[in-house]
Amino acid sequence: MTLRGTIVFSIGVLAALGAGWAGFPRVIYQTHRQPVDFSHQIHADKAGSKCDDCHAFRADGTFAGVPTLDKCSGCHAAAMGSTVAEKNFIERFVTPQREPEWLVYARQPENVYFSHITHVKRANLKCERCHGNQGTSNTLPPFQQDRISGYSRDIWGHAGRPAMTMDACVACHRQSHLEHSCLDCHK
Amino acid sequence: MTNSRRDIFKFAGGAVAGALFTPAPWRLITDTALWSENWPGIPRPARGEIRAKFTNCALCPAGCAVRARCVGEQPVSLAGVHGGLCPFGLTGHHLPYHPARLKQGPIEEAKAAVRKRAPDGIAILDLNPGRTVSWTYRRAMASLQGLYLAPESQPVAYDLSAAKTVLSIGAPLLDGWGTPANVNAARQNFRLIQAEAVESRTAVLADEWIPLAPGTERAFAQEILGALQGERTSVVARELTADGSSFVLGDAPEIPEINRLLGAYGKIIVAPSEAPVPEPWKKSAAAITRLADVPDHSIGVLLIDESNAASYIPWHFIEPKLTGDNPLVVTFAATRGGYARHAQYALPIAVYPELTDDIAPAVDSIHPTFRISVPLVAPVVTPPAGLANPADFVGALAGVPASNALRERADAIHKSAEGAIVTYADGKETPVKDLTADAFWKSLNQGARWDRPPGLSSLVPAASRSTLRPAEPIESSADLPLIAIREPHNPALVSPLMTKLYQESGLRLAPNRVALNPDDARAAHVPNGARAVLQTRIGRCSVEVTVDPAVPPGAVQVGGSPGIQDVCGPAARVKVVPA
């Protein structure tokens, strides 16, 4: 191959590498914003809330997940502070009694069974182990959804933060010598 | 510098080579695979709040307490509250979506046809007697001067905990006979002798299995009876009399007399105790009549309630009771498989767990109890096809209000101020007298169970009906070489998932199957899995054949489908021929 040919080929390689590593992740994920600008940090610092104050277990051991509007309305029936985010939240959701459609980063596919109570109460895992520093963050990260598979980047991708991907689950189970079978997690 | 076509190819080649070192192609392959698992049309489980609802299984009189795990409003799995559920109960939430379900019927036309003919020899056959709706039927029939028919006119209840020895002649004692929790709790206290031709599930779990020759169950019962009357000796009869607390289960007509001689009446066999009923109902209810006691050709209009039928009466027992002149038969059924094949009108009904109905007392329930099967799902069949409500249909014919009957019954129980209500959600037992009528009703509608505790109830001895039927003439075996052995009764509608159990576990014979000994199958020229015709003196029906060495020679084990039962009574002589 001539020098010119080598240069053209190399440009092709570099263009593909650039597109594949920098452009593709932007294209493949569709970014959605959460319906409310929620600050975990403010709730933790000012209200002294702990994770399980809002993300509680029910009496039967199932995980309630994202709190419903009733829980939020208990404190925010009227504005408690002066932030725009709180004002918007009350106007858009609390007053009309409309449930915010939260986007759940770690919602697992239908073929996966995940028990929060087993991991939290039995394995004594901290929430941060899987959810990173969400509990102390001031803003919620954008929800990135794979355009083709429909899955959240946090469960099937590289979110760049602790997430609930299958690789992360496998690594942790392997480290804890709890690799029994696929059916540990898969239905 | 000009770019040649060759440069474009080189650039493209480089891009392809470079792309292989990026996540893009590999990610696209994975994503496409994932997309193919999630494309439109694949059923998706409902999303929503996960919570538990409680109800009582209405598939059989055991009425097991059920905890349903619901996502949003949709039950996604059922589990027992006290002990487990049977496979039928575990898959009960599939039933409203069953493909064989009856979904439409000419309800108004049927009503008009019955009105036109009633009360000319009207009767209702209730295959699940003992419910509140049964009282509605009895009141309606009293008003129309009709007959209320039930499989047994004098039901009895068995106190298994009082038994030390049980002789079961072919009864499925450990396989769906009573309430599984009660039977299992009492099991370690009694010795079980199972006498039957096949090694059934009960026979396997019994302390002793006496293999009988097929068709000799009645002879065996006669031998026991003769021994108890001192006419002969029998080891089994000696065993039964030795501990003074024994009884015999089975269909043979000698059994009531055997139990009377064993002293089981009043001690183990008692009259079933019913939950309180409003006094006006009792005064205006028709008596319970056995179908066998009805004169032939006397029923002009027959209504049949098949909802959660506890038994199936073969059509050849019913047909002679109908008038010869164009009788009208209306059945309330979940499928076309039962009496719908013989009825002019088959009207669709709600099925468990979408129906609201109370549950008849189980055969081993000696103390009064009241439970409502609370709907877990909204009716799947909706107008304009709609579902028939048998109570409203029959009540309207006679002007008997039926829509509020369950509440009236609950109020009567509350008024008695006896017993306590058990709520499954919190496991609490609250005396009825501590509750208002509304709170009591609310608890019942959340799946709670009312019981009158043993201390407050007195066991009433059941009457022994010892009128022996004359021995039936023995059919000739020349042209019908095999003897039928019937499987225990199964619910009419079972989840399609059960077919997997039928096919893979061998625990149940599928309703349309027969099982033959390999020698008999060879003689009949029917291989395993083949379609065949089951032939009796009454008729013939199409079946599938399972060849099973566990079936004794000379017998054929038959499934419980109504089609088979219609042509094949107990111990009937049959022949299996290739289809």
Side-chain angles (χ1 to χ4, degrees), chain A residues 1-2 4-5 8-9 11-13 15-17 20-21 24 28-29 58 60 62 107-108 110 146 148-149 151 156-157, chain B residues 1-3 7 10-11 13-15 17-19 21-24 27-28 30-31 34-35 38 45 47 49-50 67:
Chain A
M1 194 186 285
T2 61
R4 177 190 159 87
V8 171
F9 184 84
I11 292 170
V13 170
L17 287 172
W21 284 103
F24 178 74
I28 193 73
Y29 292 112
R58 298 189 188 92
D60 65 356
T62 55
R107 173 165 284 162
Q108 295 296 312
E110 305 299 351
D146 189 302
I148 300 174
S149 71
Y151 289 152
W156 195 261
Chain B
M1 191 174 72
T2 55
N3 293 325
D7 289 337
K10 282 178 181 167
F11 180 84
F21 294 97
T22 72
R27 185 59 193 258
L28 286 172
T30 313
D31 279 1
L34 290 172
W35 171 78
N38 291 306
R47 292 280 190 190
E49 191 189 350
I50 297 171
R67 179 183 187 276

Side-chain angles (χ1 to χ4, degrees), chain A residues 84-97:
Chain A
V84 177
E86 188 191 22
K87 185 168 171 279
N88 285 343
F89 173 63
I90 292 172
E91 282 175 6
R92 288 179 57 206
F93 299 104
V94 178
T95 307
Q97 284 293 298

